[in-house]
Amino acid sequence: MFGFLNVYKPGGKTSHDVVAVLRHVTKIKQIGHTGTLDPFAEGVLPVCIGKATRLIEYLNDDKAYVATVQLGKSTTTYDLEGEIVSCSDKKVGLLEIEKALEQFYGEIEQLPPIYSAIKVNGKKLYEYARKGEEVEIKPRKVTIKELNIVSFDENSQKLELYVDCSKGTYIRSIANDLGNVLGVYGHLIKLVRVKAGNFLVENSVKLEELESKEQVLTNLIYPLEYLDYPKYELSELEKAKVANGNCLSVKCEDGLTLLTYGETLAAIAEIIDNRAVMRKVFL
């Protein structure tokens, strides 16, 4: 078994829980996911099975979410699972929110939540937080490609946003920072990942529908469909060379290229001056 699964992770389960379920169903140990979702979050979770786990680093990392922000309160974790630390009775309007969101477009510096898995001096930030220890958190550059208001209820001060962003963006931080900019505080109460690279929520399969190895096979995606690189079809002689890990002379542009044979993935190579150097071989 070799390929990708576009799994819809339900709320209440961790990304590791999803992998554990699929290992139990398929009896295959070589399974991994491509990007952690917080337990309360739901949505697209790309999963790699078999040798496809070697392709994780080559997948598109951009993400898109629909996030629900509750204005008026902030929490320790920047989401509904934390303790409330600040409150405001002030209510804001749609025009104020639209103006505030302008600060979050493009490349920005974002401070990750203290309750996150980012490591500082070998320890995860949430380990410092749980012990009440102080640690310096450095801002990180992220890119917000699209940030649109989906809906806003002025009475409840609930705001729904569509966010298309680069890898490493914390939607929780956007919720918290937006609340601070507006002067009313804010935290994330719902998060649905609707896109992870080429994996879209409308094409995902619910975890509870994957109850057998046959159902997993039915929904398996062959890697060539989701890898955004040029392709080069091998001859029989070239295939034999690739199988032995040898370099090839090819007329291709420099960069990563998918080497195929009979419409199957044979290898990933890096082209340097018309010379294909093998990076991953699947023959």
Side-chain angles (χ1 to χ4, degrees):
M1 195 179 287
F2 171 43
F4 303 137
L5 271 180
N6 184 359
V7 180
Y8 191 98
K9 185 191 88 65
K13 287 189 178 293
T14 68
S15 302
H16 295 301
D17 289 338
V18 173
V19 169
V21 168
L22 292 172
R23 283 176 178 163
H24 175 74
V25 168
T26 62
K27 310 304 179 187
I28 295 172
K29 290 185 178 180
Q30 195 178 12
I31 298 178
H33 62 80
T34 67
T36 301
L37 266 176
D38 288 335
F40 82 91
E42 56 190 271
V44 173
L45 181 70
V47 174
C48 300
I49 296 182
K51 291 182 180 179
T53 53
R54 300 172 64 201
L55 296 169
I56 290 176
E57 63 186 285
Y58 301 108
L59 288 168
N60 184 324
D61 281 332
D62 290 347
K63 309 288 195 300
Y65 302 87
V66 172
T68 306
V69 179
Q70 177 64 65
L71 298 174
K73 297 176 182 179
S74 65
T75 71
T76 52
T77 58
Y78 299 176
D79 61 31
L80 77 173
E81 295 188 322
E83 296 178 7
I84 295 172
V85 290
S86 300
C87 297
S88 173
D89 293 328
K90 177 185 172 184
K91 290 193 174 184
V92 295
L94 189 60
L95 291 178
E96 292 173 86
I97 295 170
E98 289 175 342
K99 184 66 177 177
L101 286 174
E102 292 176 5
Q103 301 182 31
F104 296 88
Y105 286 102
E107 187 177 77
I108 63 171
E109 286 201 335
Q110 184 183 71
L111 203 63
I114 182 63
Y115 282 91
S116 63
I118 294 172
K119 286 188 177 182
V120 175
N121 299 325
K123 285 175 62 177
K124 294 177 181 178
L125 285 180
Y126 65 73
E127 293 177 324
Y128 290 102
R130 287 171 179 171
K131 293 180 179 179
E133 298 175 352
E134 291 189 5
V135 61
E136 182 184 2
I137 306 175
K138 295 181 179 179
R140 309 193 317 170
K141 286 186 178 180
V142 297
T143 302
I144 309 298
K145 298 178 180 179
E146 194 175 339
L147 182 58
N148 299 322
I149 296 173
V150 177
S151 65
F152 176 58
D153 186 320
E154 194 164 342
N155 289 326
S156 66
Q157 293 285 283
K158 285 184 182 178
L159 171 67
E160 195 174 40
L161 297 170
Y162 174 82
V163 188
D164 192 327
C165 55
S166 63
K167 177 185 177 182
T169 302
Y170 277 92
I171 310 300
R172 285 185 284 150
S173 289
I174 292 177
N176 181 78
D177 296 347
L178 176 61
N180 289 338
V181 170
L182 290 167
V184 296
Y185 310 112
H187 67 284
L188 193 65
I189 59 172
K190 185 177 180 180
L191 185 65
V192 180
R193 186 156 67 192
V194 296
K195 184 181 77 170
N198 293 327
F199 297 85
L200 305 177
V201 69
E202 55 263 33
N203 300 327
S204 63
V205 57
K206 293 181 179 179
L207 182 62
E208 56 265 31
E209 294 175 0
L210 300 171
E211 296 180 331
S212 67
K213 192 171 185 178
E214 290 70 27
Q215 288 171 320
V216 171
L217 275 169
T218 299
N219 291 281
L220 206 61
I221 301 162
Y222 194 67
L224 283 178
E225 298 177 40
Y226 279 56
L227 294 171
D228 296 327
Y229 297 99
K231 298 179 179 65
Y232 177 86
E233 180 71 11
L234 299 169
S235 67
E236 188 70 36
L237 180 60
E238 288 173 328
K239 177 196 171 190
K241 289 183 178 180
V242 168
N244 290 320
N246 295 330
C247 297
L248 297 177
S249 293
V250 295
K251 291 184 179 180
C252 297
E253 292 185 6
D254 284 2
L256 290 175
T257 297
L258 307 177
L259 304 184
T260 62
Y261 182 78
E263 298 184 354
T264 61
L265 181 63
I268 293 182
E270 185 172 3
I271 311 299
I272 306 171
D273 296 331
N274 294 326
R275 185 168 175 265
V277 181
M278 301 306 121
R279 296 302 181 214
K280 300 281 175 74
V281 177
F282 296 94
L283 293 172

